[in-house]
Amino acid sequence: MASTGLREELTCSICLSVYTDPVTLKCGHSFCRVCIRNALDSQVAGRYSCPECRERFLTRPELKSTLRLRNIAQNLFSSDLRKTGISCTYCILCHVPASKSCLHCEASLCEEHLRVHSSSAEHVLTEPTMSFEKRKCSIHKKVLEYYCPRDVVCVCVSCRLDGEHRGHQVETLNEASEKRKQKLKNVLQKLTSKREETEKRVQSLQERRREVQEKATGETERVAALIRDIREQLEALEKRVLSEISRQEVQALLRVSDLIQQLEIKKEGLSRKIQDIEELFNITDPLTVLQERELNETDFCEAEEGDIESDEHEEVIKDTQRDDKNLRAVDLDEGLISVILHTGLTGIVTGAKGHLVAPQASDILLDVNTAGNRVDVSGDLKTVSWSGINQIYPETPERFQDYAQILSTRSFSSGRHYWEVEGSNSGEWVVGLAYPSIDRRGDQSWIGYNKKSWGLWRWPGNQYAVRHNGKLILLSHLPSCQGLGIFLDYEAGRLSFYELCDPVRHLHTFTTTFTEPLHAAFWVWGKAWVSI
């Protein structure tokens, strides 16, 4: 936009408009070629003078074109025209940018013609426009001066006094525009806040990506250090483990990149909305603000009182919960890595066990004091089986009353732990974990049917399922062997199940935040048994 000082320097003192084909006299003053030519033609020969400084010339002065001045004036014209795209209706010889439009005359005026334009009330001036019909009432052909909130439309004085809007509570255009801008401000604030929350989630995911990469590097180094001590017969195992880490890293990073891309798309959408509203908010013409129908129907409705804060609050909570869940899901499956290592190294390198998670299966024993009356427990406290008759167990507060299930004596309140179990092909059984505060009678005491237990279910129809808090998930993988590995990472809130076939297969991982110590939990039914 050209400054006021620059415009004054480029204004002809005769026509008071920006130079058109400027020329310069000997005295240094410049004028439009047509203006100075007409002025000199009106003067007496031999008594020519400059209209600006009155310097006299004995002969008619030569008019010298100033290319640089002409280019500057043309650029000023072009800049003003690009700003509005509307030129003065009365400047016929050249395209002079319009400063205002008169709705009464249905004409656009430059600064010069605006000075001599009528200032009466009926001559309503607005920002330069070519859409005069949109600014007048289609019924009475009068200038739109009011806004009817009831019918959401701009009206003229006749509509208000005698037309269909008679008796309606109306507002001036300025009042209605200010109210609309206030709503726009509220929407802008909410969208800005939402964009900031989105940026925070993007940063969180980016940090998670870095953690995954660092953890992958650490796991690679740990595995490589372990394998270096093993003979040539373990080279295949080393390659297999490193390949699994790389695969998990790629999957985790792809998931992070996908989540970041989704948030970036959401962020771009919010930015576009913010840009559209900012552009509308900066428009000085209230009528244009009020008649922007596209935004009225989409974004403005979000700014209604009483709806935004609760909806936005709920949305932020849901987004945060979803992000927390995604952050837990985006990680390396350290349980699978450890299980593969354990099964590969068993019987080969005893010293390698010190690098694996603990405790081993020998550290877990069944707690007879918790056994239900239809449970048989082996003498070594390693096998639980279903009994067709009620067992005679002493009454204890810890004993399950209604289901054939049992807990371990040992509990886990921190660290990483791994153990293996073997289950029967007959009957039904469940293996998992439970808090010590789980109910001991009633439906809420069944493993997986409450918030205090997590279980993997083996059904007779050769089917795996998992259950927590009553929610059942059927697994697509069908059982192919009897051995299972269970991996617990207490601090990370991860409980994973693996089938110990060749190759080892991941079945399911629960992700949560553990709040109590955890006991190994078992349930059997119909000639089923499970051994640790």
Side-chain angles (χ1 to χ4, degrees), residues 346-357:
T346 300
I348 301 176
V349 182
T350 303
K353 293 182 179 180
H355 297 274
L356 301 178
V357 292

Side-chain angles (χ1 to χ4, degrees), residues 261-470:
Q261 183 179 9
Q262 294 176 18
L263 290 176
E264 290 290 358
I265 292 173
K266 183 175 181 181
K267 176 182 174 182
E268 290 175 5
L270 294 173
S271 297
R272 285 195 298 270
K273 288 183 180 181
I274 290 173
Q275 182 179 359
D276 292 341
I277 293 178
E278 287 176 341
E279 291 176 359
L280 186 58
F281 187 77
N282 292 328
I283 293 176
T284 58
D285 179 22
L287 199 55
T288 300
V289 175
L290 296 171
Q291 291 184 331
E292 191 64 31
R293 300 303 300 169
E294 180 179 358
L295 285 176
N296 287 349
E297 295 298 330
T298 57
D299 294 305
F300 294 167
C301 61
E302 296 179 10
E304 292 299 327
E305 294 295 334
D307 294 336
I308 295 178
E309 293 187 1
S310 59
D311 292 345
E312 290 294 333
H313 180 67
E314 292 177 1
E315 184 176 354
V316 169
I317 292 177
K318 291 180 179 178
D319 286 344
T320 302
Q321 293 174 345
R322 182 167 57 253
D323 289 340
D324 290 342
K325 183 177 180 180
N326 289 335
L327 287 177
R328 291 195 186 100
V330 178
D331 202 350
L332 296 181
D333 192 341
E334 297 172 68
L336 178 58
I337 296 169
S338 297
V339 171
I340 294 174
L341 280 172
H342 177 77
T343 56
L345 294 173
T346 300
I348 301 176
V349 182
T350 303
K353 293 182 179 180
H355 297 274
L356 301 178
V357 292
Q360 303 300 319
S362 58
D363 298 312
I364 299 178
L365 300 176
L366 299 173
D367 185 359
V368 179
N369 290 329
T370 65
N373 291 325
R374 288 298 183 99
V375 167
D376 271 337
V377 181
S378 63
D380 61 359
L381 303 180
K382 288 290 186 177
T383 300
V384 55
S385 58
W386 183 77
S387 173
I389 59 175
N390 286 331
Q391 302 296 313
I392 302 176
Y393 289 125
E395 290 290 335
T396 62
E398 300 88 1
R399 191 173 309 284
F400 291 102
Q401 301 294 325
D402 300 315
Y403 292 101
Q405 55 192 36
I406 190 172
L407 301 180
S408 65
T409 56
R410 180 167 186 169
S411 64
F412 314 109
S413 57
S414 63
R416 299 173 180 175
H417 309 275
Y418 170 75
W419 62 97
E420 296 176 357
V421 299
E422 184 178 352
S424 63
N425 288 325
S426 60
E428 303 176 45
W429 48 264
V430 175
V431 294
L433 291 172
Y435 290 149
S437 61
I438 186 175
D439 291 347
R440 302 308 165 111
R441 63 174 63 246
D443 290 341
Q444 287 299 305
S445 65
W446 202 356
I447 298 172
Y449 278 79
N450 48 71
K451 296 181 179 180
K452 299 183 177 184
S453 60
W454 298 259
L456 173 71
W457 202 301
R458 168 74 181 257
W459 284 346
N462 208 33
Q463 178 78 55
Y464 280 130
V466 292
R467 191 189 296 270
H468 169 65
N469 197 23

Side-chain angles (χ1 to χ4, degrees), residues 9-26:
E9 291 294 331
L10 298 174
T11 299
C12 175
S13 61
I14 297 177
C15 66
L16 300 179
S17 297
V18 177
Y19 293 132
T20 303
D21 189 14
V23 294
T24 304
L25 299 182
K26 293 180 180 180

